[in-house]
Amino acid sequence: MEDNFHIVQAYLKVTEEGILDEIIPKYINFLDDIKSNDFLSIILRGHLYVEHELTELLAQFLLDDKILSKYKFMQKLDLATALGAVEEEWVPALKKLNDFRNKYAHNLGFLFNEQYYEDFLSTFSLEMKVDYEKKYVDLIKIYGDRLHNKLGILISHLWVLLILESKRTDIKKILLFVQNSKLT
């Protein structure tokens, strides 16, 4: 487990060290939760994690976040995009993940394959793709180079982006509060 921790730490390297310490255990749990030979499980669990973080991010922008429980994933994504809470370049990948979830929800015979994986990866911006592919090499050592693992790690990349954005939003709000306090 200690070796896994260091590999994951290298994978998640970000400038906000306190955030990194908080994310590593969550990330290892995420990968363990979606470790499966069943694409349906990987996509549904991954989607649940991503939607949870999207909801957490949106809650920071709303006075009453209870309303979010009534919203579907795409409504949350549209709201997050309109508020500038998510980067525009993430939207196609988040939509594609939701499309796969819907394919499973509405077609019992849907089978995820390498082409769907490539289609999913193609929705990532160049920066996201380069970052993912560069970091993925280290995670192969832990989880193996199977399509199931590649899909899980790809979904985890989106999940981490949302977590980091949520944490950055927290920091921005604190800094804004401190700045406004100095002005008054």
Side-chain angles (χ1 to χ4, degrees):
M1 181 66 170
E2 185 64 26
D3 289 341
N4 292 0
F5 185 86
H6 292 297
I7 292 170
V8 171
Q9 184 178 29
Y11 176 76
L12 295 172
K13 196 68 181 163
V14 292
T15 56
E16 301 91 345
E17 291 301 324
I19 294 173
L20 181 64
D21 292 340
E22 183 182 331
I23 291 175
I24 292 172
K26 286 182 177 182
Y27 187 77
I28 292 171
N29 286 338
F30 174 92
L31 290 177
D32 286 344
D33 279 354
I34 63 168
K35 193 184 304 180
S36 174
N37 291 325
D38 178 32
F39 290 113
L40 170 63
S41 294
I42 296 167
I43 289 172
L44 289 182
R45 284 183 184 267
H47 190 278
L48 287 169
Y49 271 86
V50 167
E51 186 167 9
H52 173 78
E53 290 308 323
L54 183 60
T55 302
E56 291 292 308
L57 179 59
L58 279 170
Q60 295 180 40
F61 289 84
L62 302 173
L63 294 174
D64 181 9
D65 63 352
K66 291 176 191 76
I67 193 166
L68 293 174
S69 66
K70 298 176 185 175
Y71 286 22
K72 294 180 180 180
F73 182 85
M74 285 305 299
Q75 293 169 312
K76 292 176 186 178
L77 183 56
D78 289 343
L79 180 58
T81 304
L83 291 169
V86 297
E87 300 287 331
E88 279 287 332
E89 66 184 31
W90 304 349
V91 173
L94 290 164
K95 284 182 177 180
K96 183 59 82 173
L97 175 60
N98 194 59
D99 287 347
F100 291 138
R101 191 216 62 89
N102 287 340
K103 285 183 188 301
Y104 274 111
H106 302 292
N107 179 359
L108 293 176
F110 177 69
L111 296 174
F112 190 88
N113 59 35
E114 187 75 37
Q115 184 58 52
Y116 287 119
Y117 169 80
E118 292 298 327
D119 290 346
F120 190 21
L121 185 58
S122 75
T123 64
F124 278 52
S125 69
L126 181 59
E127 181 182 341
M128 291 167 63
K129 197 180 302 183
V130 167
D131 190 41
Y132 162 74
E133 289 173 347
K134 179 174 58 174
K135 292 174 177 177
Y136 174 70
V137 173
D138 290 331
L139 291 177
I140 291 174
K141 296 172 189 171
I142 302 172
Y143 296 99
D145 187 24
R146 296 177 39 241
L147 183 57
H148 296 84
N149 298 335
K150 292 188 328 186
L151 173 62
I153 293 168
L154 189 60
I155 294 170
S156 78
H157 199 64
L158 289 172
W159 178 67
V160 169
L161 288 173
L162 291 170
I163 290 174
L164 292 176
E165 191 59 31
S166 185
K167 297 301 177 192
R168 287 185 193 112
T169 300
D170 277 345
I171 292 167
K172 288 177 197 172
K173 287 170 83 174
I174 291 167
L175 292 174
L176 185 60
F177 176 77
V178 169
Q179 183 180 20
N180 288 338
S181 296
K182 289 180 181 179
L183 294 175
T184 57

